[in-house]
Each structure stands twice: as C-alpha cells, then as structure tokens.
Amino acid sequence: MKKQLSTTHWFNEALFNEALLKGFLLVIGSACSVLIVVNLLAAKYQLALIETVLLMLTIFVWFCSQQSRFYKWTLLIYVAFIFACILTGISYSPLHSGRQVWVLIFPMTSYLMLGKKTGVWLSGICLGLVISILYLRFYEDFGKELISVVINLSCAYAFLWGLTHGAERVHKKMLYALKKIASTDPLTGLANRRNISQHFQYQLQQAIGESDALALVLIDLDNFKKINDTHGHDVGDAVLVDFAERLRAHVDDSDQLFRLGGEEFCVLMPAANRHDWSTSFCHYVQDAVFYWDDLAIRYTISIGVSCSFEGEGDFKSLYRLADQRLYAAKNLGRNRIVFAD
C-alpha cells in the first residue's frame, strides 16, 4: 500500500509547509549528490567542493528542529548560500551559457521558505545583484541587446513572484475553506466535534481570565427517534435545524455551540450562567411550537451539566460527567436538567 500524506497535513499550515520544504530539500540533495560525482569525474574539484557543502547544509536543514530558536536563521543562511552559488556561477559564465535562468528560482524559493516579508526583500536584493552583474560583465559587448535580456528576465522574475504569491493566497483560502467544511456540521451549520477539545481549552482560558469556571452543557432531544419514525427523516432533519436556530438565538457566541452527532448538542459557557440559562432554555423549547407544512410539532430536551472545577477538569472527563447526568435526566422522565450529583 502506498504511503499517503496524512490528512492532518492538509488542515495544518505548518505541517503542509514542512512537507513542501522536505520535498524541496530532497530535490536539492539528490541533485547535489549527482553533480558531486559528475564534477569529480570531470576533475572539477572546486565545484564538487561547493556542492558537497550545499549537500551538508541540506542534510542539516532536514534534521534541524523547527522548534529551535535558530531555525529561521538556518533557513535564511541556507537560501542565501544557494543564491550566492547561483550568483557566482553567473559572474563567471558567458551570457550564452543560459545559467542566468537559475535566478528564476529566487522568488519561489525565498517566498516559500522564508515567508512573504523576508522573501520580498531577499528576492529584490538578488535581482538587483543579477542586473548589476550582467551590466558590469556584458554591457560593453552587447550594449542595447542586454537591455532586452534584463527586461525579459525582470518580467519573468516578477511573474513568478506574483504566481507564487497568488498560489499562496489561494492555498490559504482553500485551507480555511477545508477547515471550515471539516469542522462544520452540514445540516445545522454548527461546529461538529472535530475541534471541540481545542475550543474547550480556549473557552476555559477565557473563563479563568474572568475568574470563573467553564460549564459544559450537554443537550439531547427527547424521543427524537419517534419523530423520525412518525413523520419521516425530512421532518426529523427540519427539527434538528429548528433546534440549532433556537440555540443560536439564545447564545451570543456561535463558537460555543456544537452538534456532537445525531440529536446530541453541546454548549460551552461561563459556569456562572449555567443554571439560569439551562432552565430558561429548557422551558423555552418546551413551550415553542415547530411548524412543518400542516404539522405542529412540540418537542422537549434533556440536559446534563458539568463544570471545569469538577473531576480532572479536562474535556473528556467533563464530557463523561455531563453525559452521565444527561442519562440520569432521561431516566428521571426527560424534559429536565441534572447538574452536580
């Protein structure tokens, strides 16, 4: 079975960029290995030495930890060394050698490896150096013909930078869209359980910052299977959408709302609000009527509530407590709330 890139990489920009970097390093390392052998056989020992240094730097960058405080500087030195080698080659090669085209890797390499800000100024410096080298070496021999070469090279350079910049923007937008799709329930539009633990940690820190605890309110629609069996799944889906809208109308921040699956929903909120909110919302759902064509449907909910000062205080333990209390609310006759035992 072929090894595939983990789906985690597609939803994590840092991991995705790391995969691109490893691919770039693999190409550079392979090319260096081949060229070292070729230049040794051709007795071009200076070139072989330079390529050996580049290969060693490539291996070092490959194994360098991204958590290192010097990681960005390591990348900058690595890219600068590659560019210096290319600039040196242009300085000692005739115009017809075609080695000038290697400068076209500057925009893409610097942008992807060093980021937009550093990539822009480094690319600009390198383009200025290339133009200076070409004029100093070849203007007397080629005169105005060199101007055409420089203009074409500069246009191609700008085009590749723009293409890289555009591709990066599109990638970020696609990444955002994919994350949104992957973390959103398609029926209700609420967040699903994919990233709830991360949301929990964020909400918990906010609550602690306000000298409060965080409540996990677990909600389940009562006798939902009966609605599906009696009226059909279309009506059942409409009831779930209706309930999601009721949640939105009673919670200020939509990032606190989740559909965990089926008819089970979750709300994260400051612990100080849990009693009043749960009671008023439970009564509101009981009293409201959902209309579907000629049908008037009433439904109720059961609620289990836990708080971050209970148990171990992490999401899994609080979910387990809330689930146990939700189950107790069902056993007590439904349409009720169970807080701490």
Side-chain angles (χ1 to χ4, degrees), residues 62-127:
W62 182 283
F63 290 103
C64 183
S65 171
Q66 292 190 21
Q67 308 305 318
S68 170
R69 55 189 292 190
F70 302 110
Y71 181 72
K72 290 186 177 180
W73 282 104
T74 302
L75 285 184
L76 178 60
I77 293 170
Y78 178 70
V79 173
F81 182 80
I82 294 176
F83 290 1
C85 290
I86 294 174
L87 291 172
T88 302
I90 294 172
S91 300
Y92 293 96
S93 301
L95 189 62
H96 59 75
S97 68
R99 288 177 181 167
Q100 296 79 18
V101 299
W102 281 100
V103 304
L104 298 179
I105 74 167
F106 290 177
M108 185 178 298
T109 303
S110 59
Y111 193 104
L112 293 179
M113 295 187 69
L114 303 174
K116 180 181 178 181
K117 186 176 180 179
T118 305
V120 168
W121 67 255
L122 184 59
S123 296
I125 290 173
C126 288
L127 180 60

Side-chain angles (χ1 to χ4, degrees), residues 68-336:
S68 170
R69 55 189 292 190
F70 302 110
Y71 181 72
K72 290 186 177 180
W73 282 104
T74 302
L75 285 184
L76 178 60
I77 293 170
Y78 178 70
V79 173
F81 182 80
I82 294 176
F83 290 1
C85 290
I86 294 174
L87 291 172
T88 302
I90 294 172
S91 300
Y92 293 96
S93 301
L95 189 62
H96 59 75
S97 68
R99 288 177 181 167
Q100 296 79 18
V101 299
W102 281 100
V103 304
L104 298 179
I105 74 167
F106 290 177
M108 185 178 298
T109 303
S110 59
Y111 193 104
L112 293 179
M113 295 187 69
L114 303 174
K116 180 181 178 181
K117 186 176 180 179
T118 305
V120 168
W121 67 255
L122 184 59
S123 296
I125 290 173
C126 288
L127 180 60
L129 289 173
V130 170
I131 293 174
S132 300
I133 291 170
L134 293 178
Y135 266 92
L136 290 173
R137 286 208 58 207
F138 304 114
Y139 186 76
E140 290 185 2
D141 297 328
F142 295 95
K144 294 182 179 180
E145 294 181 10
L146 184 62
I147 297 176
S148 176
V149 173
V150 170
I151 290 175
N152 282 302
L153 190 63
S154 300
C155 289
Y157 201 89
F159 171 77
L160 284 175
W161 187 91
L163 187 65
T164 304
H165 178 65
E168 180 73 2
R169 286 176 60 88
V170 170
H171 168 249
K172 287 184 176 180
K173 289 182 178 180
M174 290 179 64
L175 190 66
Y176 174 80
L178 287 172
K179 286 180 178 178
K180 192 72 175 177
I181 292 171
S183 61
T184 302
D185 171 51
L187 178 64
T188 63
L190 299 180
N192 60 26
R193 66 189 309 148
R194 180 182 179 88
N195 297 318
I196 190 171
S197 58
Q198 290 91 330
H199 281 278
F200 173 82
Q201 291 299 328
Y202 175 75
Q203 299 282 350
L204 178 61
Q205 293 303 317
Q206 282 195 322
I208 292 174
E210 297 173 0
S211 302
D212 198 355
L214 184 68
L216 192 157
V217 181
L218 198 59
I219 308 170
D220 193 90
L221 275 66
D222 295 329
N223 299 311
F224 182 73
K225 185 177 184 299
K226 184 177 180 181
I227 295 175
N228 270 334
D229 293 343
T230 304
H231 304 292
H233 289 282
D234 288 344
V235 175
D237 287 347
V239 168
L240 292 175
V241 172
D242 172 72
F243 180 71
E245 292 302 318
R246 297 186 190 192
L247 275 177
R248 287 192 182 94
H250 284 76
V251 177
D252 293 333
D253 187 356
S254 60
D255 288 340
Q256 298 173 290
L257 304 176
F258 304 86
R259 181 189 178 197
L260 302 184
E263 64 271 27
E264 187 176 76
F265 295 80
C266 176
V267 184
L268 301 176
M269 66 176 60
N273 302 338
R274 67 190 188 280
H275 286 94
D276 291 343
W277 186 91
S278 299
T279 302
S280 63
F281 185 67
C282 191
H283 290 160
Y284 165 72
V285 173
Q286 178 186 7
D287 295 338
V289 181
F290 171 62
Y291 294 98
W292 174 267
D293 292 337
D294 296 330
L295 294 175
I297 299 175
R298 291 182 180 273
Y299 58 90
T300 60
I301 57 174
S302 297
I303 299 178
V305 183
S306 61
C307 294
S308 57
F309 51 73
E310 300 180 277
E312 298 175 13
D314 63 328
F315 173 75
K316 287 185 178 179
S317 64
L318 293 183
Y319 175 81
R320 184 169 58 252
L321 284 172
D323 189 51
Q324 291 171 356
R325 291 164 188 172
L326 175 62
Y327 186 75
K330 295 282 188 181
N331 287 338
L332 290 170
R334 298 182 174 85
N335 190 28
R336 64 190 64 227

